[in-house]
Amino acid sequence: DIGRLAESMGLNAYLVGGVVRDILMQNTNMDIDIVVEGDAPALAKRFAAMKKAKVSEHFKFKTAVVIFRDGFRVDFATSRTEYYTNPASAPEVENASIRNDLYRRDFSINAMAVKLTGDDFGLLLDFFGGQKDIIDKKIRVLHSLSFVDDPSRCLRGVRFAVRYGFAVGPHTEKLLKHAVSLKLLERVVGQRMYLELKYILSEDSYVDALLMMKKYDMLKFFHEKLAIDDFKLDRFAVLKKINGWYSFQFEDKLELWISRFCILFADLNRQEMKRLASRFEITGRLYDELADTFYKFKHAVWQVRRLKDVKASAITGIFEGMKTEAVTAAVAVLGQEYEWLLKEYLTVYRFVTPSVDGNDLKSMGIPPSGIYGEILKEIKRAKLDHEISSKEEELDLAER
Ligand code: CTP
């Protein structure tokens, strides 16, 4: 549809980037990127109207995104160089605009396009050997200044390498090491560093990515104290087991990167976490949420370690009000011997509530003078610790 619409507007349009890579590798990819030789927002608006979807335009960058009701997105960008409109121009010249656009991209596997318009609809444009690199399993930049143009590509390179089990090509590796020694990553804005770390920690093979970042000495760009040692690797292994159990047991999807983030930075104290957050330039609600999750995680580890008597009520008191991601991270740090506790908490304890309610207490003649909360809390505690089990016993306890 996009191709036909573009044609009717006299434009050339291409499918580009990650989606082309993933089609060739037979992976699924939910992000569609379109490059248009011409007015991309105009095409996006027509497409959105046709599909009854929403469109939002970025005037400065001549881009637009079409968002469908179910969240599906199609990004439209105007190709970054002038399109040669001379009708007598040779095909190579006609391709110059999209070729230049692709040349500015990060890696050969991400720099391919599929033509959506014209007689050669469906034609794969692969100017820089992307297909060969997919076959050879190689991450390769297109030119020597790629990491200088955008140092966050050092992190992207790691992410794609571990995701697909590709090796970094020898020349690319040299450039990568050079970029690290020049500390180019220090120039990357905080939000981008934060997002790249979040993406890396969202990968299934994030541990390999962290090890690769360690190998290339990139971890220090997040925090000078950041280290990956055997202890941490063990914690990640426990987390993996816990998450395997969780996804088998429950339907909801955890934001796995959050637990991984907590474990990764578990050694940082408050001051250091604040510094990390300021490096990431995260403020406001985002900061509050992340910091809250992290501090609760650290506090829970500390509290559980201090428990003399590991009672259900004590555990529930500690874990209640925490994000599940923080609870699983805390248990992974505490160690395998605490796994049963987590399972009990997640399957049983957290659902325990008193059977009696305020109305019961009222009909018993207890005046509602602000002690209902206290009574119900004590009933819940006794119930969790199996001191009482029936509603009668709860009422007895309330009376006492
Ligand atoms: N790109 C780039 N340099 C960057 C970021 C992006 O050249 N620093 C280009 C690449 O061509 C990439 C495309 O923009 O394929 C889209 O970027 P993004 O959506 O971040 O990545 P995807 O390749 O779609 O990867 P993912 O599967 O992780 O979404």
Side-chain angles (χ1 to χ4, degrees):
D1 285 350
I2 293 174
R4 243 176 270 139
L5 203 57
E7 261 173 26
S8 76
M9 295 168 73
L11 302 169
N12 270 332
Y14 303 86
L15 195 62
V16 294
V19 66
V20 178
R21 173 198 72 216
D22 285 330
I23 291 170
L24 289 170
M25 295 180 74
Q26 297 178 357
N27 294 325
T28 47
N29 183 319
M30 295 310 289
D31 289 335
I32 303 276
D33 283 308
I34 304 286
V35 163
V36 184
E37 285 170 339
D39 190 350
L43 177 61
K45 278 184 227 160
R46 292 272 294 270
F47 179 63
M50 185 171 134
K51 296 288 177 190
K52 298 193 170 50
K54 278 193 186 155
V55 61
S56 91
E57 180 177 353
H58 200 306
F59 293 98
K60 192 170 151 212
F61 295 110
K62 292 192 206 148
T63 61
V65 55
V66 175
I67 303 169
F68 287 74
R69 267 216 201 111
D70 59 2
F72 179 70
R73 298 163 55 104
V74 184
D75 281 282
F76 291 79
T78 303
S79 90
R80 301 207 212 159
T81 41
E82 287 306 305
Y83 174 48
Y84 296 84
T85 44
N86 177 2
S89 59
E92 306 89 70
V93 180
E94 260 181 41
N95 280 336
S97 169
I98 183 70
R99 190 184 192 283
N100 281 335
D101 186 285
L102 295 172
Y103 187 61
R104 293 174 187 212
R105 290 169 186 264
D106 51 3
F107 306 109
S108 62
I109 58 168
N110 290 340
M112 293 179 279
V114 173
K115 199 152 187 232
L116 298 178
T117 45
D119 292 339
D120 43 4
F121 170 91
L123 178 74
L124 176 70
L125 301 177
D126 177 12
F127 302 109
F128 314 107
Q131 286 178 99
K132 184 172 183 310
D133 286 336
I134 288 178
I135 293 166
D136 295 346
K137 295 178 172 284
K138 283 268 150 61
I139 300 294
R140 213 168 40 76
V141 288
L142 308 184
H143 55 82
S144 299
L145 290 177
S146 189
F147 293 126
V148 179
D149 289 347
D150 179 353
S152 74
R153 289 175 175 169
C154 299
L155 299 167
R156 288 175 61 88
V158 169
R159 174 153 60 95
F160 292 118
V162 302
R163 183 194 293 171
Y164 301 123
F166 284 14
V168 177
H171 182 59
T172 300
E173 186 177 42
K174 228 179 264 167
L175 296 170
L176 179 68
K177 285 180 176 164
H178 194 53
V180 170
S181 70
L182 289 176
K183 300 194 167 75
L184 296 184
L185 274 165
E186 282 180 357
R187 284 195 219 152
V188 177
V189 296
Q191 291 268 344
R192 175 64 21 214
M193 287 297 276
Y194 168 73
L195 277 180
E196 288 302 338
L197 182 65
K198 175 175 168 179
Y199 295 152
I200 283 173
L201 294 179
S202 303
E203 294 286 335
D204 286 341
S205 37
Y206 72 101
V207 174
D208 292 336
L210 294 173
L211 289 172
M212 197 165 168
M213 286 158 74
K214 180 180 174 169
K215 176 176 137 190
Y216 291 124
D217 198 19
M218 285 159 133
L219 293 170
K220 63 180 180 207
F221 297 111
F222 290 96
H223 196 283
E224 74 270 8
K225 259 180 76 176
L226 184 56
I228 308 291
D229 50 19
D230 286 346
F231 178 78
K232 231 167 239 176
L233 293 177
D234 280 349
R235 304 304 106 198
F236 287 135
V238 177
L239 182 71
K240 185 174 178 178
K241 254 186 85 204
I242 293 172
N243 284 332
W245 171 83
Y246 190 93
S247 58
F248 180 72
Q249 200 76 19
F250 302 102
E251 300 239 309
D252 60 321
K253 280 230 176 305
L254 294 180
E255 285 193 81
L256 300 176
W257 78 272
I258 294 179
S259 320
R260 295 163 179 171
F261 178 95
C262 288
I263 298 175
L264 185 63
F265 293 108
D267 321 321
L268 302 196
N269 60 32
R270 266 177 188 262
Q271 225 31 51
E272 291 163 339
M273 179 45 64
K274 271 205 182 123
R275 267 243 312 290
L276 180 68
S278 76
R279 169 66 183 107
F280 284 154
E281 293 165 41
I282 49 177
T283 51
R285 233 187 58 206
L286 188 59
Y287 172 74
D288 292 342
E289 269 178 34
L290 194 69
D292 183 62
T293 305
F294 180 74
Y295 297 139
K296 279 186 175 154
F297 147 79
K298 293 255 305 182
H299 194 58
V301 172
W302 182 76
Q303 280 183 305
V304 172
R305 281 203 181 119
R306 279 181 67 233
L307 283 181
K308 291 206 178 65
D309 195 1
V310 187
K311 281 187 178 172
S313 60
I315 288 299
T316 307
I318 294 170
F319 289 162
E320 241 171 9
M322 283 173 68
K323 261 184 186 276
T324 308
E325 288 85 348
V327 176
T328 53
V331 174
V333 167
L334 285 161
Q336 204 141 12
E337 63 274 26
Y338 286 90
E339 244 181 87
W340 68 271
L341 209 60
L342 174 85
K343 292 180 180 172
E344 288 291 300
Y345 170 73
L346 289 176
T347 52
V348 184
Y349 303 166
R350 64 175 168 155
F351 302 116
V352 170
T353 50
S355 311
V356 300
D357 58 17
N359 287 330
D360 293 316
L361 299 181
K362 203 165 160 190
S363 54
M364 285 170 70
I366 303 173
S369 56
I371 58 166
Y372 281 18
E374 283 296 308
I375 296 174
L376 293 172
K377 210 169 140 191
E378 174 58 12
I379 292 174
K380 179 172 164 179
R381 188 207 59 75
K383 213 172 161 181
L384 272 165
D385 293 341
H386 294 295
E387 289 169 15
I388 55 172
S389 54
S390 65
K391 187 165 178 180
E392 282 68 43
E393 285 175 312
E394 288 185 29
L395 292 168
D396 270 358
L397 184 63
E399 210 162 305
R400 273 189 273 139

